[in-house]
Amino acid sequence: FREMKFVEPEYRETEAGEKTQIGLRVKKLLPGGPADRDGRIQVGDMLVEVGGVAVGGMKLRELAAHLVGDEGSLVDLTMLRGGEQRLKVQLPRGDVTAPPKQELDRSGRSAETRA
């Protein structure tokens, strides 16, 4: 989560007219990263919970504390797809350092993981 180019905050306006963060929209997947290898999370999905904790309004450092852990340990994510469909995904934590730039297809997956 060192680089925010992979996600962007998603906001909703409250009845009082204030903007409140409701989640993080996936802009692209880290090529070869845990979500890319797993294949269930897609560009456009919105992360709404990590380990059962809502991410709306959460500071990035707090969110990173929920996401980062020992390599191979599991993290539970709840995604929202298309505004309505809730998708629960359990992923093993892994290396999330960005590899050299590579070509991504329209879904945001690297050519290497499509093979």
Side-chain angles (χ1 to χ4, degrees):
F1 251 80
R2 288 178 283 255
E3 298 180 42
M4 284 301 294
K5 63 183 180 180
F6 293 98
V7 295
E8 65 185 2
E10 182 86 9
Y11 297 94
R12 181 173 293 150
E13 195 168 311
T14 66
E15 290 181 17
E18 298 174 357
K19 282 175 63 173
T20 182
Q21 182 182 328
I22 57 171
L24 293 170
R25 183 76 56 191
V26 177
K27 290 173 51 177
K28 68 180 185 178
L29 299 172
L30 179 67
D36 185 35
R37 288 191 312 268
D38 179 84
R40 290 178 285 174
I41 295 175
Q42 300 175 4
V43 170
D45 288 349
M46 184 169 46
L47 175 63
V48 293
E49 292 180 359
V50 177
V53 178
V55 302
M58 195 180 279
K59 302 280 187 221
L60 287 178
R61 287 180 191 235
E62 185 181 356
L63 177 60
H66 288 278
L67 289 172
V68 175
D70 293 332
E71 189 164 342
S73 65
L74 299 176
V75 61
D76 295 312
L77 306 175
T78 302
M79 311 299 294
L80 198 58
R81 180 170 295 156
E84 296 180 14
Q85 179 186 1
R86 287 181 88 76
L87 175 67
K88 293 197 178 272
V89 178
Q90 187 176 67
L91 293 177
R93 290 180 173 101
D95 183 16
V96 291
T97 54
K101 271 190 161 179
Q102 47 186 296
E103 193 66 31
L104 303 179
D105 69 13
R106 293 178 72 198
S107 72
R109 289 205 171 78
S110 69
E112 295 163 4
T113 59
R114 290 192 313 261

